[in-house]
Amino acid sequence: MEKPLTKNFKTDGSVCSLSEYEKRGGFQALRKALKMPPGEIQQMVTESNLLGRGGAGFPTGKKWGFVPMGKDAPRPKYFAVNADEMEPGSFKDRVLMEGDPNLIVEGTIISSYATEAQAAYIFIRWGYKLSTERMNKAIAEAYEKNYLGRNIMGSSYSLDMYIHTSAGRYMCGEESSLINALGGKRGIPRTKPPYVVTCGLWGKPSVVDNVETIANVPHIVSNGAKWFKGLSLTEEGGTKIYGVSGKVKKPGWWELPMGTAIGEVIQEYAGGMNDGLQLRGLLPGGASTSFLTEEHLDTKMDFASMAKTGSGLGTGTITVLDDENCPVGMVNNLESFFARSSCGWCTPCREGLPWVSRILNSMEAGKGEISDLEILREHTVFLDTGHTFCALAPCAMNPLRSAMQYFGDDFKRHVTEHRCPWRD
Amino acid sequence: MPTIFVDNKPYMVSPGQNMLQACLSLGFDIPYYCWHPALNSVGACRMCAVKQFKDANDTKGKIVMSCMTPANDGTRISIDDQDAVKFRKRISEWLMINHPHDCPVCDEGGECHLQDMTLLTGHVYRRYRFDKRTHTNQNLGPFITHEMNRCIQCYRCVRYYNDYAGGRDLGVFCWHDHVYFGRSKDGVLKSQFAGNLVEICPTGVFTDKTLARHYTRKWDLQNAPSICPHCSLGCNTIPGERYGTLRRIRNRYNSHVNGYFLCDRGRFGYEFVNSGRRIKRPFYRQAKKFELMAKDIIVEKISEIIKASRNVIGIGSPRASLESNYSLRTLVGPHRFYNGLSETQTQVLSTITEILKNSPLQSASLSQIGMADAVFILGEDVSNSAPMIELALRQAALTKPSVIPEKMHIEKWNDYPFREAIGQEKSPIYIATCNTTVIDEIAKGTYRASPDDIARLGFAVAHEIDAQAPAIGDISKEMKAIAKMIAEDLKAAQRPLVISGTMLKSRSLIQAAANVAYALEKTGKKPLICFAPESSNSIGMGLLEHKSINSAVKAAERGPVDAVIILENDIYNHVDSDTAEQIFKAVKNIIVIDSMRNQTTLRANFVLPAAAYAESDGTFVNNEARAQRFFKVFVPAGDIKESWQWFRDIMLGAGISEADKWKNFDGIVNDIASKLPVFKDINKITPRADFRIAGQKIPRQPHRYSGRTAMYANIDVREHKTIEDNNSPLSFSMEGFDGRPPSSLITHFWAPSWNSVQSVNKFQDEIAGPLRGGDPGIKLIEPQQQAAGEYFKEIPNGFKINDDELLILPAAHVFGSEEQSAISPSIAELAPKPYITVNPADAERLVINNECEIEITLSGVTHLLGLESSTAIPNGIAIVPAGLKDLQWDGLPVRVKLKRR
């Protein structure tokens, strides 16, 4: 099967230099793109049905279509690549940046050209040191070869690209918080409308796209929308990097056709559960997705199919819960992460998530009370979209709500037995 | 006009609002925290949640924040929907998780928005069983106490301080439930509008530190509508008193003048009223003899002097009320009454009043300043002389670029996107001063020069706008280029504004400012003009009298003058000591009425204790000729009396019949209105003393005022008769009309369920609009449409530097330059030490650059000043702080030779 995203990865973990990348066909897509009007590139991306790989699955071409274009558009315009990957359980963007930074650079240049951006920022998570190092080198080499800077490849298009290291907050992975942080403000989200595509960085039109999304763009330009759709098993175009972590035989990542079933990823590629363990549940795409169980293993891992289960594709990196692990403990771990991550702007998230986290801690310590369960349940109802300022708290409630649905007895036992039953 | 539906009933509302504003204007009680009428909406607290329905058939609806929902035609919400009610209750529960059980010991209690909203939502029982998070507090200076445990993270403080007031040193720190608002380290908050935090903060995080030193609950305070006496802008205030001492100043909303805010000088400068320097009893002094006198005795003695005298002169004061000045004027006769200013000050002030009276120019209110889209400031450091102008200018900076969010269909109430879209764009503001100013940071251009050169720039700008305006013969290329730039921006504006003032005592600056405004008027623009004189009643005095203290000296020399009466004026602040001495030497009987001991009272034979503004009824005319009324908050103790009453009693004793009409305050107000055409409307500012609502007076005390009899129970347990107030419709009690009185008589803002300052909402027809029935105050002068402003033609020569001299100019300081507030301890703490600032090039030229202290002699007094240097000071000029103790006022500007120590 074709693996456009990872075909340049080296097995020894080292990375291609820019000239090696060129020899393997790199920057041909850019050459081709610069001869097309930006609108045509947008058209191609729309037809390819590339959905945003950050977790929300918004059609990329459609997002670009909202950017005001032409000589009367407000300027300067900006492009930001969301490399702030902090969704617990996700590591696909790191894999891409460490494995083929040149692809990300080329994809960003083409995408910036398609939206008439003058500057592109790679907003990269502080902890991703190796990625930062490799991306820096790729950018420097691109400048040398005039793939960046003034009049790229002799065209009239100029672009500057910068690495911006995030100060390290999960909230900055959200597009409007990212724009705020990039602009030197507190990394809190913005109210929408207006969306960042019209009023973004410093009030100017800005596009924010995920690393994996961008990685697909050069291939779409080179090979066309039809080819891209052909890679997938469903309507949603392209390949996807899926991952599995947890007590499976071969935890890791694999580039597979979009729409590969959950069970196939876990059994075929991750080798199934470790000996002696059973699958209890799984988070399909990061801590913000709801638990699924073995009844969902046939579900195709694309955005639409996953949404039908009540959970979501998210980042497509699966975390597996085995039957010897305490679900309450797992949820406690996740909720303490979310509580720590709250930006503190809106009341329900700022006060509610720490409360939830303290209750779960207390349950794990054997000090839970029956009324706690009602309080937890209420939070899963009240921390809903529109009730909070952004999606962080509603997403934080996904694992809790689904865990109480599927593993409700475990929660009750913690309270009635005054201990965690999984610990002796 | 859009129609909205609230719980299925239709209502018409004004366009361009959000649902929270619209519903509050209609009288609905939707709880909120982070929204504020001056700060608009951000949608952070989630407290204003309501259910929105798509149409009449939608029964499910979804929860939205009313502050972030546009009040468009057809918008349909329910406030009472059970889901919304439950959600709002939950918000209260979340906010109460970490909130300390401080109410009994918290300063905010009784006027706490958090208390009110928590009650409104119905949240009562605590389910949270874990520890509360706590914070350490910071020392933020003498005005504001910091108690972070109480914070509910509404973010109002930083939004107000940074976005609205332009401050930089208050920020947000940390995340989730550890969010902290403070400075990066302890220290005085730098913005002089920081004091508004005590009203902005909905709980007790930021509270009035000066109040804390003599704390009283809000409901125990006796209040009255008052006017700030500390500059000429006339911000409306509500001072509060208990047990005979003034406790605090609160903002009194007025949509034209101060709006929701005050400056720190106005808010914290009141403690002089309680000062130990107050004169409490009348006394007589002659050589070494000192004798306390009973008030009727001293009145008798003075009446006798008046009866026996043929020539008594009176020196009034620009900081005394219209009534006090008028009564002195009547006593001595108009041709013997002097305005209490120096000749130079008089010339500048009369230039201003002539311009206001005889020109088509519109005098700008503070709210109009906030809507200007191009500004030119000539000479005046408004941040320090009339501080609220700075706050208004910071809003004006947003006026011109507001077209950017407008084009993007972002409403003004949607605060963050509105400001994001504007970014760093600003309305063009040009500041021509002798030194850097705080608002340089929002200026498009600054011009540093001597007063005369600034005036020349002004004349040049006028000429660039209208070639008919006089030109400068010898204009430099540099000045011409700058003048062109300023003229272009003023011409392109919809609401251009010209500002000047009296700090530098330059008539040329006033004339140049007028020329610019006339030029704009003649080219079809509608310019606004703003003159900022020094004192609370400068314009009132300017409309009353033009004879200066120097004229009084001449009169005293021509002689003989039997007595001089000086009203609430330390004349050493206006004229040099030689001039002052001439009066005291030439006159036998020196009678002084004032509230505070000062240099003038030290020279007096008869001293009568005057009531301070908070103990008086009176009228001040502000810088835009708006006549405003203040009522006494409390009856002064012992022998202290209002000046006009002293004069009345003296006149009655001396048989001067005009005083018969002044049986009460209405009497003298009516007398002024009938005799002096320019003041004909001052008896319409407030209702008469016999005004009643349903037979009741308006109480000064809230209905929960306590301790009335307990206060004196250690002395006796009788119910004492309430002090009667025959001078106003207000009573010195809590009994009286319980509802909302006419806006000029509001003694405290309160409404059922709304105990905090948010209750102002209930007194407005529309949120952030005028008070119901109109804001109090009457403009005495309207633009004369028929008059065409005549250009002033006296262009000053360019500033010439003399070899070993410097021109010493006064610099106003918000804390320290104004006479009365400077006595308040918290203000005095922040006043600068005396200094002299020169340009380093001059320091070298005069060979003083290695000194740290300089001696200068002004008006015969030698001062030792710390030497500072700044490249912003133009060559040949030195700046000293104005109004500081011992720095003679009218000595400046003056050319002086500097001496090395």
Side-chain angles (χ1 to χ4, degrees):
Chain A
M1 78 184 102
E2 281 190 76
K3 300 190 188 191
L5 298 179
T6 59
K7 67 181 169 73
N8 293 330
F9 283 29
K10 290 195 180 167
T11 43
D12 64 355
S14 68
V15 73
C16 286
S17 68
L18 190 126
S19 3
E20 283 180 83
Y21 178 72
E22 280 174 316
K23 285 203 197 85
R24 289 164 183 239
F27 287 103
Q28 292 306 317
L30 176 60
R31 191 177 304 275
K32 181 177 175 195
L34 288 173
K35 296 200 179 80
M36 299 160 69
E40 206 180 305
I41 301 179
Q42 289 196 20
Q43 178 87 340
M44 274 180 102
V45 170
T46 306
E47 277 170 14
S48 71
N49 210 9
L50 168 67
L51 302 186
R53 300 288 196 252
F58 191 84
T60 304
K62 190 170 176 194
K63 181 191 283 189
W64 293 2
F66 289 125
V67 178
M69 301 283 284
K71 61 177 175 58
D72 290 331
R75 278 186 166 76
K77 290 194 267 181
Y78 300 102
F79 199 94
V81 177
N82 191 344
D84 196 44
E85 183 172 56
M86 283 187 74
E87 187 63 45
S90 309
F91 44 86
K92 60 180 182 65
D93 295 335
R94 172 170 63 80
V95 159
L96 278 168
M97 285 188 286
E98 288 178 3
D100 198 351
N102 297 295
L103 175 62
I104 308 304
V105 171
E106 186 180 5
T108 306
I109 302 172
I110 297 174
S111 308
S112 302
Y113 172 72
T115 54
E116 296 175 339
Q118 279 167 243
Y121 296 90
I122 316 287
F123 189 94
I124 189 164
R125 178 181 171 175
W126 174 84
Y128 279 4
K129 303 275 194 221
L130 183 57
S131 299
T132 305
E133 194 185 303
R134 291 185 173 180
M135 288 296 297
N136 265 319
K137 180 150 181 283
I139 291 173
E141 292 192 300
Y143 267 103
E144 275 168 31
K145 286 267 176 82
N146 190 222
Y147 292 133
L148 280 171
R150 302 211 60 74
N151 300 112
I152 295 173
M153 290 162 94
S155 74
S156 59
Y157 182 62
S158 304
L159 178 72
D160 279 317
M161 191 178 292
Y162 307 92
I163 297 273
H164 176 99
T165 310
S166 160
R169 276 279 159 189
Y170 174 63
M171 188 68 239
C172 295
E174 191 269 341
E175 132 181 308
S176 63
S177 308
L178 188 154
I179 291 293
N180 270 339
L182 198 52
K185 301 193 173 146
R186 253 174 94 80
I188 61 172
R190 296 182 179 183
T191 183
K192 307 156 189 98
Y195 291 86
V196 299
V197 280
T198 47
C199 181
L201 186 61
W202 303 307
K204 299 285 189 289
S206 312
V207 177
V208 181
D209 273 330
N210 174 263
V211 169
E212 192 184 355
T213 313
I214 291 308
N216 285 286
V217 171
H219 302 292
I220 293 171
V221 169
S222 290
N223 305 309
K226 193 148 165 259
W227 166 86
F228 190 72
K229 283 204 280 230
L231 294 172
S232 160
L233 296 172
T234 66
E235 289 300 308
E236 300 172 19
T239 57
K240 177 85 185 75
I241 298 187
Y242 296 106
V244 179
S245 38
K247 296 215 171 102
V248 291
K249 292 213 176 72
K250 287 185 289 178
W253 61 267
W254 310 272
E255 182 179 0
L256 301 171
M258 175 67 94
T260 306
I262 302 178
E264 189 178 333
V265 178
I266 295 178
Q267 301 297 347
E268 301 277 330
Y269 292 94
M273 305 301 296
N274 277 345
D275 292 333
L277 294 177
Q278 300 284 349
L279 176 79
R280 190 99 197 270
L282 62 111
L283 298 172
S288 311
T289 50
S290 296
F291 277 100
L292 294 174
T293 61
E294 54 183 0
E295 59 180 273
H296 302 105
L297 290 177
D298 289 334
T299 316
K300 294 193 164 74
M301 291 190 79
D302 76 6
F303 290 98
S305 314
M306 291 297 293
K308 288 205 193 82
T309 66
S311 183
L313 176 62
T315 54
T317 38
I318 301 168
T319 309
V320 166
L321 171 68
D322 60 86
D323 63 340
E324 284 185 13
N325 231 308
C326 176
V328 178
M330 177 172 177
V331 170
N332 186 18
N333 179 299
L334 298 177
E335 297 305 335
S336 78
F337 165 78
F338 285 118
R340 256 200 320 278
S341 303
S342 168
C343 75
W345 176 244
C346 82
T347 307
C349 173
R350 182 184 66 237
E351 312 292 341
L353 291 187
W355 193 1
V356 162
S357 176
R358 280 170 205 141
I359 288 177
L360 291 168
N361 266 337
S362 145
M363 284 172 70
E364 276 280 275
K367 298 208 173 71
E369 299 178 11
I370 278 293
S371 52
D372 288 344
L373 297 174
E374 176 56 23
I375 295 174
L376 290 179
R377 195 200 58 79
E378 274 180 27
H379 276 80
T380 64
V381 170
F382 278 106
L383 299 188
D384 198 6
T385 350
H387 297 192
T388 53
F389 193 81
C390 82
L392 190 150
C395 286
M397 291 296 101
N398 282 337
L400 177 62
R401 186 188 309 110
S402 50
M404 290 180 80
Q405 177 192 348
Y406 292 119
F407 317 122
D409 283 339
D410 295 316
F411 283 80
K412 272 211 205 75
R413 284 184 68 195
H414 277 72
V415 172
T416 54
E417 294 178 27
H418 301 290
R419 67 185 184 109
C420 170
W422 272 263
R423 290 203 213 108
D424 287 320
Chain B
M1 294 265 281
T3 299
I4 62 170
F5 295 87
V6 181
D7 286 296
N8 286 315
K9 290 210 189 67
Y11 299 90
M12 283 225 298
V13 296
S14 297
Q17 296 186 86
N18 60 63
M19 285 301 282
L20 177 63
Q21 271 175 289
C23 289
L24 289 173
S25 301
L26 290 168
F28 290 106
D29 287 340
I30 300 182
Y32 62 89
Y33 290 115
C34 61
W35 174 85
H36 183 281
L39 305 180
N40 295 310
S41 309
V42 287
C45 69
R46 315 314 273 176
M47 186 51 139
C48 64
V50 296
K51 212 36 137 25
Q52 182 173 24
F53 299 94
K54 277 200 285 271
D55 52 42
N57 301 320
D58 179 5
T59 50
K60 186 159 184 286
K62 65 175 168 119
I63 286 187
V64 296
M65 299 306 128
S66 52
C67 74
M68 299 298 282
T69 307
N72 291 332
D73 196 46
T75 306
R76 187 177 282 272
I77 63 159
S78 166
I79 302 173
D80 297 333
D81 175 276
Q82 279 312 297
D83 289 338
V85 168
K86 273 202 211 119
F87 184 76
R88 295 194 298 261
K89 207 166 162 179
R90 190 66 62 243
I91 298 286
S92 285
E93 180 177 32
W94 277 318
L95 292 175
M96 283 296 122
I97 283 175
N98 289 308
H99 195 75
H101 267 99
D102 266 7
C103 288
V105 298
C106 174
D107 290 11
E108 198 85 347
E111 50 183 358
C112 176
H113 188 50
L114 177 65
Q115 281 180 334
D116 290 345
M117 297 298 97
T118 306
L119 278 167
L120 203 61
T121 59
H123 165 69
V124 186
Y125 292 110
R126 185 175 184 78
R127 297 189 295 173
Y128 184 86
R129 57 188 174 78
F130 304 102
D131 290 341
K132 298 185 189 189
R133 65 98 183 91
T134 55
H135 290 297
T136 52
N137 301 317
Q138 295 181 317
N139 183 347
L140 298 173
F143 296 146
I144 297 175
T145 306
H146 194 219
E147 182 60 57
M148 266 305 295
N149 289 348
R150 299 172 182 154
C151 182
I152 57 166
Q153 290 86 27
C154 70
Y155 289 81
R156 271 183 176 194
C157 54
V158 284
R159 289 176 55 217
Y160 161 74
Y161 194 89
N162 298 318
D163 298 338
Y164 192 91
R168 301 274 190 92
D169 58 330
L170 186 72
V172 198
F173 299 88
C174 209
W175 291 71
H176 50 86
D177 55 349
H178 288 182
V179 163
Y180 186 91
F181 299 96
R183 300 181 87 244
S184 53
K185 52 177 201 237
D186 285 33
V188 181
L189 284 168
K190 293 206 174 75
S191 167
Q192 69 235 34
F193 306 104
N196 293 305
L197 289 172
V198 311
E199 292 192 42
I200 283 276
C201 177
T203 84
V205 174
F206 296 104
T207 52
D208 186 334
K209 206 181 234 176
T210 66
L211 169 62
R213 283 200 280 272
H214 36 228
Y215 186 72
T216 301
R217 287 288 176 205
K218 172 202 187 180
W219 63 77
D220 277 340
L221 284 170
Q222 177 165 273
N223 314 285
S226 188
I227 304 290
C228 178
H230 300 299
C231 85
S232 66
L233 295 177
C235 298
N236 292 197
T237 61
I238 299 181
E241 167 271 355
R242 187 162 171 82
Y243 299 159
T245 52
L246 210 48
R247 300 305 177 107
R248 64 111 182 253
I249 303 296
R250 201 75 165 168
N251 183 59
R252 178 163 65 107
Y253 179 79
N254 184 316
S255 73
H256 298 301
V257 189
N258 46 304
Y260 291 95
F261 304 119
L262 295 172
C263 78
D264 287 1
R265 178 160 86 199
R267 188 182 288 278
F268 302 113
Y270 67 91
E271 288 179 293
F272 74 94
V273 175
N274 305 330
S275 162
R277 265 173 66 172
R278 284 294 298 272
I279 302 166
K280 300 219 169 81
R281 300 176 60 183
F283 59 88
Y284 171 74
R285 190 203 285 118
Q286 182 66 43
K288 292 275 196 297
K289 189 166 144 196
F290 177 92
E291 191 188 323
L292 286 172
M293 274 192 181
K295 29 180 206 231
D296 39 346
I297 307 286
I298 201 166
V299 164
E300 210 184 292
K301 289 225 181 312
I302 296 176
S303 309
E304 274 166 26
I305 294 173
I306 304 294
K307 264 195 292 206
S309 301
R310 277 201 300 180
N311 192 5
V312 179
I313 62 175
I315 298 179
S317 172
R319 67 165 166 89
S321 70
L322 207 53
E323 292 76 14
S324 299
N325 277 303
Y326 177 80
S327 52
L328 175 58
R329 179 179 180 270
T330 311
L331 196 169
V332 300
H335 52 288
R336 293 198 180 92
F337 177 72
Y338 298 87
N339 66 7
L341 296 166
S342 72
E343 187 57 38
T344 321
Q345 288 174 313
T346 303
Q347 282 184 16
V348 180
L349 184 59
S350 56
T351 310
I352 292 176
T353 48
E354 287 310 300
I355 293 167
L356 292 181
K357 282 198 302 194
N358 301 322
S359 81
L361 297 180
Q362 167 79 280
S363 202
S365 65
L366 280 173
S367 102
Q368 286 173 318
I369 292 177
M371 296 191 290
D373 60 344
V375 184
F376 180 26
I377 305 178
L378 286 95
E380 193 76 4
D381 179 9
V382 293
S383 305
N384 284 297
S385 65
M388 284 293 283
I389 293 181
E390 174 192 324
L391 199 57
L393 287 174
R394 289 191 183 272
Q395 312 322 308
L398 298 175
T399 307
K400 180 159 185 243
S402 63
V403 296
I404 304 172
E406 254 175 57
K407 251 198 270 174
M408 296 164 84
H409 305 292
I410 297 172
E411 308 253 27
K412 185 158 201 279
W413 54 255
N414 196 355
D415 193 49
Y416 274 3
F418 185 82
R419 289 180 185 271
E420 188 69 48
I422 287 178
Q424 296 302 309
E425 298 295 319
K426 296 189 224 337
S427 309
I429 298 176
Y430 292 95
I431 303 179
T433 48
C434 308
N435 195 359
T436 56
T437 73
V438 173
I439 42 175
D440 284 352
E441 64 192 17
I442 60 170
K444 180 168 176 181
T446 57
Y447 182 73
R448 301 275 112 91
S450 70
D452 280 348
D453 284 326
I454 294 174
R456 284 162 66 79
L457 175 64
F459 283 110
V461 170
H463 179 71
E464 289 293 330
I465 295 170
D466 177 17
Q468 301 298 316
I472 301 189
D474 53 342
I475 190 170
S476 71
K477 261 207 307 222
E478 189 213 351
M479 186 182 276
K480 190 168 170 70
I482 296 171
K484 250 183 129 78
M485 187 168 64
I486 299 175
E488 289 301 312
D489 274 327
L490 290 175
K491 274 193 297 195
Q494 304 300 318
R495 281 179 295 268
L497 167 66
V498 185
I499 300 179
S500 191
T502 62
M503 178 60 47
L504 295 171
K505 302 214 202 72
S506 160
R507 195 164 54 155
S508 304
L509 282 175
I510 305 295
Q511 293 177 337
N515 271 21
V516 175
Y518 290 152
L520 288 165
E521 181 85 31
K522 286 190 210 297
T523 55
K525 297 283 164 181
K526 295 239 168 305
L528 292 167
I529 190 101
C530 172
F531 293 117
E534 239 170 85
S535 306
S536 51
N537 207 16
S538 290
I539 298 292
M541 179 57 90
L543 296 173
L544 187 65
E545 182 52 65
H546 286 187
K547 299 200 292 299
S548 67
I549 298 178
N550 302 77
S551 302
V553 168
K554 288 207 187 74
E557 283 173 339
R558 279 198 301 273
V561 173
D562 305 300
V564 60
I565 306 177
I566 304 179
L567 163 67
E568 295 178 37
N569 193 341
D570 183 0
I571 61 173
Y572 288 89
N573 279 339
H574 297 296
V575 293
D576 56 274
S577 35
D578 289 338
T579 311
E581 283 305 306
Q582 281 173 287
I583 298 188
F584 297 133
K585 284 207 195 76
V587 180
K588 183 156 167 275
N589 294 294
I590 305 165
I591 301 159
V592 172
I593 299 188
D594 211 337
S595 51
M596 213 69 64
R597 282 197 292 280
N598 55 43
Q599 289 181 279
T600 300
T601 65
L602 281 175
R603 303 291 276 113
N605 306 121
F606 294 89
V607 174
L608 305 172
Y613 79 102
E615 301 158 333
S616 313
D617 304 316
T619 308
F620 283 148
V621 183
N622 84 347
N623 72 317
E624 21 145 13
R626 186 184 302 265
Q628 304 188 102
R629 178 73 29 79
F630 55 97
F631 288 115
K632 55 161 70 73
V633 178
F634 60 108
V635 176
D639 298 334
I640 301 174
K641 233 172 21 180
E642 289 163 83
S643 303
W644 69 267
Q645 291 180 344
W646 283 116
F647 293 133
R648 175 195 58 193
D649 295 344
I650 291 169
M651 285 162 75
L652 289 174
I656 303 175
S657 59
E658 277 98 319
D660 295 336
K661 293 200 209 89
W662 306 346
K663 290 200 171 39
N664 68 358
F665 183 68
D666 281 335
I668 186 167
V669 167
N670 285 326
D671 200 25
I672 301 173
S674 64
K675 295 243 177 61
L676 300 174
V678 71
F679 298 118
K680 67 175 164 49
D681 288 330
I682 67 163
N683 58 350
K684 303 193 184 74
I685 302 173
T686 52
R688 293 186 336 215
D690 58 3
F691 173 82
R692 300 286 181 272
I693 303 179
Q696 296 177 305
K697 295 191 92 177
I698 316 296
R700 282 185 170 80
Q701 298 164 4
H703 56 280
R704 296 200 182 98
Y705 188 92
S706 66
R708 191 180 69 244
T709 48
M711 248 187 262
Y712 303 110
N714 59 325
I715 303 169
D716 75 62
V717 292
R718 280 181 302 150
E719 172 87 44
H720 286 260
K721 190 174 192 309
T722 325
I723 304 170
E724 282 198 39
D725 183 354
N726 296 318
N727 292 300
S728 80
L730 308 177
S731 70
F732 289 106
S733 110
M734 80 292 292
E735 292 173 329
F737 176 68
D738 208 13
R740 285 162 232 156
S743 60
S744 61
L745 297 177
I746 295 172
T747 61
H748 51 278
F749 287 103
W750 179 89
S753 295
W754 298 83
N755 294 283
S756 79
V757 68
Q758 314 302 313
S759 54
V760 171
N761 291 342
K762 299 289 186 183
F763 289 77
Q764 299 162 325
D765 271 324
E766 279 215 8
I767 303 298
L771 292 170
R772 202 164 285 129
D775 296 291
I778 297 182
K779 287 197 74 162
L780 299 179
I781 301 173
E782 291 300 336
Q784 303 298 298
Q785 300 297 353
Q786 322 314 53
E790 259 191 60
Y791 286 121
F792 292 100
K793 296 194 174 42
E794 256 183 84
I795 299 178
N797 292 325
F799 177 59
K800 293 250 183 343
I801 303 171
N802 291 345
D803 270 340
D804 52 354
E805 278 182 346
L806 287 175
L807 175 63
I808 315 284
L809 295 172
H813 281 273
V814 58
F815 304 126
S817 292
E818 191 273 321
E819 183 190 346
Q820 293 183 308
S821 60
I823 297 168
S824 305
S826 49
I827 302 273
E829 198 181 309
L830 298 179
K833 299 239 177 330
Y835 62 84
I836 180 165
T837 310
V838 299
N839 188 298
D842 283 328
E844 246 187 79
R845 170 169 70 86
L846 298 167
V847 201
I848 54 172
N849 43 336
N850 289 323
E851 306 297 320
C852 42
E853 277 176 331
I854 294 295
E855 228 175 53
I856 71 168
T857 304
L858 297 170
S859 306
V861 181
T862 304
H863 304 272
L864 200 59
L865 303 172
L867 178 65
E868 290 176 15
S869 94
S870 161
T871 51
I873 312 283
N875 286 329
I877 283 174
I879 309 280
V880 298
L884 293 196
K885 188 158 120 54
D886 298 338
L887 262 171
Q888 299 307 337
W889 191 236
D890 197 46
L892 311 171
V894 73
R895 285 179 188 267
V896 153
K897 290 195 205 313
L898 288 193
K899 268 202 308 256
R900 252 176 299 176
R901 184 102 198 274

